[in-house]
Structures are given as structure tokens and as C-alpha cells.
Amino acid sequence: MKTEKTEQVLNFCCEMGRQLIQNGAEIYRVEDSINRLLTAYGYRDTEVFAIPSCVILNILDEGHNYTKSIRIRSSFINLDKLERLNSLCRRVCRDRPEPEAAFSLLDTISSAPSYPQLVSYLAHGFVAIFFTLFWGGTALDACLAFLCGAAVKASVGYLSRFETNIFFTYVCSSMAMVLPPLILSYLGVPIHMDKMVIGAIMLLVPGIAITNVMRDVLAGDFLTALTKFAEVLIIAMALAVGIAIPVSLARFFWGVM
């Protein structure tokens, strides 16, 4: 019975770590949350190792080692789910429910639907609008930049169904983002394409990842920092390639600047 409970706690903590990473939690927070959960269930001799692509957990209980590793293949930012997961961690640490009950609560959070599609499209569109204005675009530029934000959302959402790699996803998304201002310029609409592109590209710039790299360095998690920094560089290259291809082609065939 003790062994079965330990395995259940092990599975619950690993799944909690995966859900935290997949929804955008920092690595040090993931390790701290798992350690607190294990302490709440009475386990003291434990080791937790987490990186953006993996969580490894070991429990030494009555002379027996219980170890499990779990792979994380993708991650994204969902602050709503992240807040619910953090609340669940605090609740479990306070009330110490049975592992089966805790796992049921975790499944409820992980299976909950994400933001509605309409809300996501509106959010992407309005972010593009405000950043276009921030970078000096006109009211017309800002209104039409909504199309760029919607194109980003549509491309990212479509490609996520096929679990494409991050480089290809960002190349395609940045290409889709540039198409509306290119077409409008070709049709003779008086817009500032550079302001629209700069405003919309803020949707794809990995600002949180860059911040987390610095936090991981300060926390001493250099492996995690190098992994996330490599991801940032890949995204930057993908954005440059994705924007350069349609702009170069439009300049060559249409003369659109």
C-alpha cells in the first residue's frame, strides 16, 4: 500500500511538472512546486531535475528508489491555466488530499478548454493595433494591422494541429503576417508597411523567453538558460527568414517596398 501511494504521488508530481512547463512556468518554479508537493506528502529524501523538455523525479522511501522521467515536447503561454495550477499546488500542500483526488483535480485543469477562438483572434488583432500605434503608425495602419494579428493567430493555430517544429511554425506565421500589408500596398492603399509589420511582429517576439533566460542565469540554471537562449535565436532567425521571403518576392515581382 505504501509503495502504491508513493508511485501515485510520483506520477502526480511528474504530471504537475509537465503541465506547469507546458503552460509557461519558469523552471525554478517547477522544481520548487514539486519539492513542496513531495514535502506535503511526507517525502524528504527527493531529487527533482527539470529542463524545458524533461522532468526527472526520484523519491527514496524506506530504502527503495522510485524514479520517473517525463518528456515535454511543446510549450506555450497560458496564464489562466498556470494560475489554476499554482492554486492547485497550494491547495494540495495545505489540505494533502489523496493522490487520486489530486490527480482528478489536475485532470480537470489540464482538460479545460483554452481561450475561445474569438477571444484569441481579438486579442491578437488588438495587440497588433496598439503596437502599430506605439511605433508611429497612423490610424489607418493600426486598423489594418488587425489583419496581421489575425493572420498570426490563424497560422499558429493551424500549424499547432500538426505539431510542427518551432522554426517552421515561426517562418510560416511571419510570412502570413506580412502578406496583408504587401497586398494592400500592391492595391495602392496608403499605408506604412514597416509600421504594420513591426507592430504585428511583437506577437511573435519571445519576450517572456528572453526574460526567463536572464532569470535562469541569475538562479544558476545554466543548462535551462542555454536551452531557452538557443530557442530564442531560432525564433529570431525564423522571423527574419519569414519576413524576408515575401518582402523580397514582392519587391522583385511587383516593386512593392
Side-chain angles (χ1 to χ4, degrees):
M1 183 63 69
K2 179 66 173 177
T3 300
E4 181 180 355
K5 180 180 179 181
T6 301
E7 292 178 347
Q8 291 173 344
V9 171
L10 183 70
N11 292 332
F12 169 71
C13 291
C14 280
E15 184 60 27
M16 174 63 77
R18 174 162 63 179
Q19 291 296 326
L20 287 170
I21 292 177
Q22 283 185 334
N23 288 282
E26 303 94 327
I27 294 299
Y28 80 90
R29 190 180 300 276
V30 173
E31 294 182 342
D32 180 66
S33 297
I34 294 176
N35 278 318
R36 290 177 181 273
L37 290 171
L38 292 172
T39 301
Y41 279 111
Y43 299 100
R44 297 292 186 271
D45 198 349
T46 61
E47 292 290 341
V48 181
F49 176 75
I51 56 176
S53 60
C54 181
V55 175
I56 302 175
L57 176 58
N58 181 79
I59 299 175
L60 179 61
D61 184 40
E62 297 180 354
H64 297 282
N65 280 301
Y66 301 86
T67 304
K68 182 175 182 177
S69 62
I70 193 166
R71 182 72 183 272
I72 298 98
R73 300 189 180 277
S74 63
S75 62
F76 44 86
I77 305 298
N78 190 322
L79 297 180
D80 179 54
K81 281 192 177 181
L82 193 57
E83 192 278 331
R84 295 184 185 183
L85 291 169
N86 288 329
S87 297
L88 178 59
C89 286
R90 291 189 290 269
R91 177 180 174 182
V92 171
C93 290
R94 181 182 66 250
D95 300 335
R96 290 187 292 277
E98 290 298 317
E100 298 93 335
F103 225 123
S104 178
L105 294 172
L106 179 59
D107 285 339
T108 300
I109 295 175
S110 60
S111 61
S114 300
Y115 300 110
Q117 289 292 323
L118 177 60
V119 173
S120 297
Y121 275 99
L122 290 175
H124 280 73
F126 280 110
V127 167
I129 287 174
F130 293 136
F131 272 110
T132 300
L133 291 173
F134 178 81
W135 295 114
T138 64
L140 178 62
D141 298 333
C143 292
L144 295 176
F146 186 93
L147 300 174
C148 300
V152 170
K153 168 58 185 172
S155 57
V156 171
Y158 179 77
L159 292 172
S160 64
R161 302 176 187 175
F162 303 98
E163 299 182 354
T164 56
N165 64 73
I166 188 172
F167 183 82
F168 184 75
T169 298
Y170 275 80
V171 167
C172 293
S173 299
S174 54
M175 290 177 65
M177 175 192 67
V178 176
L179 286 179
L182 282 177
I183 295 173
L184 291 171
S185 296
Y186 178 73
L187 295 176
V189 180
I191 61 171
H192 299 87
M193 191 176 70
D194 56 336
K195 303 296 192 300
M196 294 176 61
V197 172
I198 294 173
I201 202 176
M202 300 304 293
L203 288 162
L204 298 173
V205 172
I208 295 179
I210 295 172
T211 303
N212 287 343
V213 166
M214 300 308 300
R215 295 183 68 172
D216 290 330
V217 169
L218 295 176
D221 295 328
F222 298 110
L223 180 59
T224 299
L226 289 174
T227 302
K228 298 301 291 185
F229 185 65
E231 180 181 324
V232 169
L233 292 180
I234 291 173
I235 292 174
M237 289 188 292
L239 294 178
V241 171
I243 293 175
I245 290 175
V247 170
S248 300
L249 291 176
R251 185 176 299 173
F252 179 78
F253 289 106
W254 301 338
V256 176
M257 300 300 292

